[in-house]
Amino acid sequence: MRRLFPIVMTALTMAVTMAGPTIAADPTLSLPTYTPAYEPRTVDERGLWMEADEEERLLRDSPLRIREGKLEQYVRDVLCREVGAERCQSVRVYVMEVPEFNASMLPNGCMRVLTGLLLRARSEAELASVLGHEFGHFELRHGLTGFKAERRTKDRTAWLAILGAMSRTDITDTRISLLASFYRFTRDQEAAADQMGLRYMATSGYPARTAAEVWRQAMAEQDASEIGHGRTPRHSYVSGYFDTHPTNLNRAMALEAAAARMPGGGEARADEYRAAIAPYLPRLLAAQIKTYDVGATDFILASLAAQSGWTGELLFARAELYRARGNPRDLQMASIWFRDARAAGYAAPELDRDLGLTLLRNGQADEARKALNAYLAARPDASDATMIQTLVATEQ
């Protein structure tokens, strides 16, 4: 047995040594050559960077930016874990309080992340899949090539208009074809950024399959939103003529197929993500409720509850969502969820205020006064205390 041990260890060492180069040599995982401290090289690129610098100054000073705590640092840490510390050196991250599922990156290395993305992501891996996609645009210099393609298209359509007028020829079809080719170009860029983001995930250890799950989840939310608005949900594999992005279904299927050929990856780090976002969750939920999209917001709340259970925070948010819509049945359910939130440990005095206002609209004056008085006792100096006192006096 003692003789076998060195042999086994040698075999294992050889296997590990061979596995590394095999993955590194896999063309599906190759990354572009990194250029540290990259500077714009042409007149067009320098102009784009000047515009990006100005836009970044606006983001930096925007009142929508979440400066509190270490949220921006955490998001940047996730990106750095995905693309590597060296590549990450060129990036600044700004988190903006906008309840939209999106992020974007400017050619100068400025990344804008919206809180709607942070609310919807269920793990670091899901967040990383979107951040990696945006970093892919940045590393592939899509801003510059997109700018040149747009300018070429505008130049050609302008010349066509002149020549058409001179020759009295209808050029409508040709102009449409030119515009369609430009939008096809932008869709190709999006698909290329998707694949690049997938390579970052596969090489970083985040599970690559997560990227497709993000788009499956987006489609399910879209379905819930459509149903909430009384419409029939539809998904298409093929993009429209003038769509700038592939459809969600197309992206999910392409990413699933590509991820199946890559290493399985490690942990999605869902617990770490929930812990990092927890201090900001009430703010993210409040912004989402103001979209007044009941179907989508209820879907997001249910998705969060599937991970953590229906906490007091989530029940309060659900009550606020239905109170905002304000149908009689909504008010009835909202009052139930406010009470459930209290039973689950939600203790903010605003619960009594909003429960009281809900009961008042539902014709339950006695219970409403009791709740509103409890709010006034807890928050005698609140900015809305005078208004609440007037309401209570009116309902005596």
Side-chain angles (χ1 to χ4, degrees):
M1 191 66 187
R2 285 182 180 175
R3 289 179 182 176
L4 280 176
F5 183 73
I7 298 173
V8 171
M9 288 304 295
T10 302
L12 285 172
T13 304
M14 289 178 65
V16 170
T17 306
M18 291 173 66
T22 301
I23 290 174
D26 186 341
T28 63
L29 299 180
S30 63
L31 298 175
T33 303
Y34 173 68
T35 306
Y38 178 84
E39 287 292 323
R41 296 168 180 170
T42 64
V43 172
D44 286 340
E45 197 170 20
R46 282 193 287 274
L48 272 180
W49 278 52
M50 286 176 64
E51 288 181 8
D53 288 343
E54 180 57 30
E55 192 171 338
E56 182 174 358
R57 277 190 283 273
L58 294 174
L59 284 175
R60 182 196 62 192
D61 301 331
S62 171
L64 294 176
R65 181 182 170 196
I66 297 185
R67 297 177 174 79
E68 298 84 355
K70 298 181 179 178
L71 184 60
E72 288 181 341
Q73 183 59 50
Y74 172 70
V75 173
R76 189 174 185 278
D77 288 347
V78 173
L79 175 68
C80 295
R81 189 174 291 120
E82 181 183 21
V83 303
E86 188 178 31
R87 280 180 157 81
C88 200
Q89 288 175 359
S90 54
V91 180
R92 284 89 55 210
V93 172
Y94 301 91
V95 174
M96 313 301 289
E97 188 175 312
V98 179
E100 184 182 333
F101 171 61
N102 209 349
S104 59
M105 194 155 183
L106 299 175
N108 67 346
C110 164
M111 178 175 278
R112 184 187 65 147
V113 178
L114 305 187
T115 52
L117 166 61
L118 301 180
L119 180 64
R120 288 163 174 81
R122 295 170 295 179
S123 64
E124 279 189 9
E126 289 196 352
L127 174 62
S129 74
V130 179
L131 301 183
H133 167 91
E134 295 304 328
F135 191 85
H137 279 308
F138 167 68
E139 185 147 44
L140 295 171
R141 313 285 177 222
H142 281 171
L144 177 64
T145 52
F147 168 76
K148 288 181 176 178
E150 184 179 7
R151 187 177 59 189
R152 260 196 318 273
T153 304
K154 286 179 178 175
D155 288 348
R156 287 172 182 171
T157 52
W159 278 111
L160 272 174
I162 294 170
L163 294 173
M166 290 172 64
S167 62
R168 297 184 179 178
T169 305
D170 185 2
I171 59 159
T172 304
D173 290 344
T174 310
R175 290 183 68 182
I176 290 175
S177 295
L178 273 173
L179 288 172
S181 68
F182 170 71
Y183 287 107
R184 188 167 58 247
F185 175 81
T186 67
R187 292 195 295 273
D188 289 345
Q189 282 195 329
E190 292 298 327
D194 274 350
Q195 295 302 315
M196 185 58 67
L198 211 56
R199 293 179 193 176
Y200 295 135
M201 293 193 72
T203 52
S204 68
Y206 284 127
R209 67 177 185 283
T210 312
E213 293 170 5
V214 169
W215 293 109
R216 294 284 181 193
Q217 186 79 351
M219 285 192 288
E221 180 188 329
Q222 187 182 346
D223 289 351
S225 177
E226 294 293 323
I227 292 169
H229 286 99
R231 298 189 290 257
T232 303
R234 289 188 179 85
H235 295 289
S236 173
Y237 182 75
V238 181
S239 302
Y241 217 47
F242 299 117
D243 285 340
T244 57
H245 288 61
T247 67
N248 290 349
L249 178 59
N250 183 296
R251 297 179 88 161
M253 294 179 68
L255 287 167
E256 279 167 354
R261 299 190 292 270
M262 293 182 174
E267 292 293 322
R269 291 174 60 87
D271 292 341
E272 290 84 350
Y273 183 76
R274 277 198 299 275
I277 296 299
Y280 309 93
L281 189 57
R283 191 168 174 178
L284 270 54
L285 289 170
Q288 175 60 35
I289 288 168
K290 289 176 185 172
T291 64
Y292 301 106
D293 188 337
V294 175
T297 307
D298 214 16
F299 174 85
I300 293 169
L301 289 170
S303 175
L304 292 168
Q307 290 187 296
S308 63
W310 280 101
T311 63
E313 219 163 37
L314 295 179
L315 286 163
F316 178 77
R318 197 178 197 191
E320 289 286 66
L321 173 67
Y322 279 76
R323 182 174 80 90
R325 188 165 68 175
N327 292 320
R329 57 189 165 85
D330 295 327
L331 297 174
Q332 183 182 16
M333 293 309 300
S335 63
I336 292 170
W337 288 324
F338 277 131
R339 291 177 174 122
D340 288 348
R342 193 201 309 279
Y346 192 86
E350 284 71 20
L351 185 151
D352 279 316
R353 178 195 61 192
D354 296 347
L355 172 61
L357 294 173
T358 304
L359 293 170
L360 208 57
R361 292 172 67 187
N362 228 14
Q364 298 168 266
D366 292 340
E367 292 179 76
R369 280 197 303 274
K370 186 178 174 184
L372 293 174
N373 281 326
Y375 170 67
L376 290 171
R379 292 258 198 266
D381 300 324
S383 60
D384 57 358
T386 304
M387 183 195 75
I388 299 295
Q389 286 166 354
T390 305
L391 270 177
V392 172
T394 304
E395 295 298 325
Q396 290 290 348

